[in-house]
Amino acid sequence: MLVPASRPAQPTTGPAGDETVIDRLVRSNKGYAAGFADPGMGARPVLGVAVVACMDARLDLHAALGLELGDCHTIRNAGGVVTDDTIRSLTISQRALGTRSVVLIHHTGCGLESLTEDFRHELEMEVGQRPAWAVEAFRDVDQDIRQSMQRVRTSPFLLHTDDVRGFVFDVKTGALREVGARS
C-alpha cells in the first residue's frame, strides 16, 4: 500500500452533527472567497511551463519551485508518471495555452515504489472488473524519470519537446536533483 500520512487521517464523515473534512474545506473556501480579488489573468501560464509531478501531499510545488499563481500548469498523478492522460493534458497545455517547457518531478519515498501491477489483479478480484489503466509502479525513481522524459520527447502530439527536464525531489531536504542530461 501507499506510504501512510505522518498524522492520523481526518474522518471523511463524522458522527451526526460533526463537521467532515469536506465540510471544513468548503467552510475554508467561504473565507477565502470573501477576501478574493480577481487577479485578472488568463489561463495561459505566465512562464510558459507545465510541471508534471506526483500527487504526494508532501510536495508543495509552488513553494519548492518559487512559483506564483498563474506561473505554470500543474499536472499531478500517482507517481508523477507520464501516462496517456498526462500527454493529453500536456498537449492541451502546449497547443491551446502556449506552454513550451516541461518539468517532470518524482520524489524520494514514493508509494509507487512499493506497489506492483498485482494491485490491478487485486482490484479485479475485489470488484469484479480489471482496471483499464496501468499502475505504473517502479523500483528505480531515476529510471522512471528517464522513461517519463522519453515519453514526452517522443509524443507525436506535443509541439515542444526540446526543453524537457526531470528531477527527483528529496522529501527529507526539499532539494531537487536533476536526472539525465539536458536536451
Side-chain angles (χ1 to χ4, degrees), residues 1-135:
M1 275 292 134
L2 295 178
V3 177
S6 59
R7 62 181 184 205
Q10 297 288 327
T12 56
T13 58
D18 284 358
E19 183 179 61
T20 69
V21 172
I22 295 173
D23 292 335
R24 184 175 60 92
L25 298 176
V26 171
R27 183 173 40 82
S28 292
N29 175 257
K30 288 178 183 170
Y32 173 79
F36 185 79
D38 180 358
M41 59 179 67
R44 288 178 176 264
V46 173
L47 299 179
V49 64
V51 179
V52 178
C54 185
M55 65 186 190
D56 192 294
R58 296 172 290 179
L59 277 66
D60 182 349
L61 294 174
H62 277 74
L65 299 174
L67 296 167
E68 299 292 330
L69 180 68
D71 281 349
C72 72
H73 282 159
T74 305
I75 303 160
R76 296 181 80 154
N77 65 28
V81 297
V82 175
T83 62
D84 286 345
D85 193 59
T86 305
I87 293 294
R88 178 187 71 87
S89 294
L90 287 171
T91 300
I92 293 166
S93 178
Q94 287 189 358
R95 291 180 176 263
L97 296 164
T99 60
R100 299 182 63 87
S101 301
V102 179
V103 176
L104 304 171
I105 301 178
H106 284 27
H107 65 91
T108 58
C110 184
L112 283 188
E113 291 176 293
S114 64
L115 290 178
T116 68
E117 291 299 320
D118 288 341
F119 183 77
R120 291 175 68 219
H121 178 72
E122 293 165 8
L123 281 173
E124 180 181 18
M125 295 293 97
E126 181 181 326
V127 302
Q129 181 178 343
R130 188 175 192 90
W133 39 264
V135 174

